[in-house]
Amino acid sequence: MLLALMLFAAQDPETAVEAERAFNRSAQTEGQWTAFRKYSTPDAVIFTPQPVKAHEALPKADPKITVQWWPAQSYVSCDGTMAVNTGPWVRPKGVGYFTTVWARQDDGHYKWVYDGGDALTTPRALPEKPQVRTASCSGKPTEVLALTSPSFTSGGGQSEDGSLVYHWIVTPEGARRLDVHLWNGQKFDVVLTDRIAAAPAQ
């Protein structure tokens, strides 16, 4: 028994890519919104288009046909406590992209804290293998200015070591922007920027 526990403890914790794939598999087998709740933290945020807590806003009933998605790029903090995945999604009569921010929990597994994305007219390319970029562990990360405005709703977070930072803003009309910053040892690189337009006025 002791040996088994030691072997288990020696195993590397899951990666954010593995968490994303498990999330998608769960959606196919257990139901889309069931999986969204299962793999998210209690305060996880989605957009409708204004930010809301996912556990309060997600529909109760799972759809008959589930969206499918795949991680194409993954940006990971040096300490592994936070990661951001992005990639394509597909569903009948629709394609688009997603971006998910994952935070490592005390048990070593990831849960998502931010989920966003948008529809597209043409699908994004899916590489044969997800492209993973990890923040540098050298140097001391400097402060990143947050995306803020008195007129906008904003939020974000960072890894425990500060090597990955993300910020989002939403206008009153529902337009949204997300920026993800990754430390390269000397400065932060903006590795991902999502811009989602507001829905046309009815």
Side-chain angles (χ1 to χ4, degrees), residues 127-139:
E128 185 175 334
K129 183 178 180 181
Q131 300 166 350
V132 180
R133 178 175 171 182
T134 302
S136 173
C137 296
S138 65

Side-chain angles (χ1 to χ4, degrees), residues 70-138:
W70 304 268
Q73 286 85 36
S74 183
Y75 303 99
V76 187
S77 65
C78 166
D79 63 0
T81 60
M82 183 165 284
V84 180
N85 295 338
T86 189
W89 59 255
V90 298
R91 64 185 176 204
K93 300 180 181 179
V95 298
Y97 73 91
F98 72 90
T99 298
T100 314
V101 179
W102 293 88
R104 193 180 294 283
Q105 306 301 296
D106 291 340
D107 63 0
H109 295 290
Y110 281 104
K111 285 197 172 184
W112 64 265
V113 297
Y114 168 104
D115 184 78
D118 203 4
L120 298 171
T121 54
T122 56
R124 280 186 176 180
L126 180 65
E128 185 175 334
K129 183 178 180 181
Q131 300 166 350
V132 180
R133 178 175 171 182
T134 302
S136 173
C137 296
S138 65

Side-chain angles (χ1 to χ4, degrees), residues 4 6 17 20 32 36 46 49 56 74 95 103 120 134 137 149 154 164 167 177 182 202:
M6 291 174 63
V17 167
E20 195 77 60
Q32 182 171 306
F36 268 68
I46 59 173
E56 298 174 1
S74 183
V95 298
L120 298 171
T134 302
C137 296
S149 167
S154 61
L164 186 154
H167 294 296
R177 173 175 166 173
L182 203 66
Q202 299 294 323

Side-chain angles (χ1 to χ4, degrees), residues 14-59:
E14 69 180 352
T15 67
V17 167
E18 291 168 342
E20 195 77 60
R21 288 170 171 164
F23 180 22
N24 178 52
R25 285 195 303 270
S26 177
Q28 311 312 311
T29 58
E30 301 179 72
Q32 182 171 306
W33 304 131
T34 298
F36 268 68
R37 289 187 178 87
K38 177 179 178 180
Y39 282 84
S40 59
T41 62
D43 58 351
V45 174
I46 59 173
F47 299 85
T48 63
Q50 294 300 322
V52 293
K53 287 188 176 181
H55 285 239
E56 298 174 1
L58 290 170

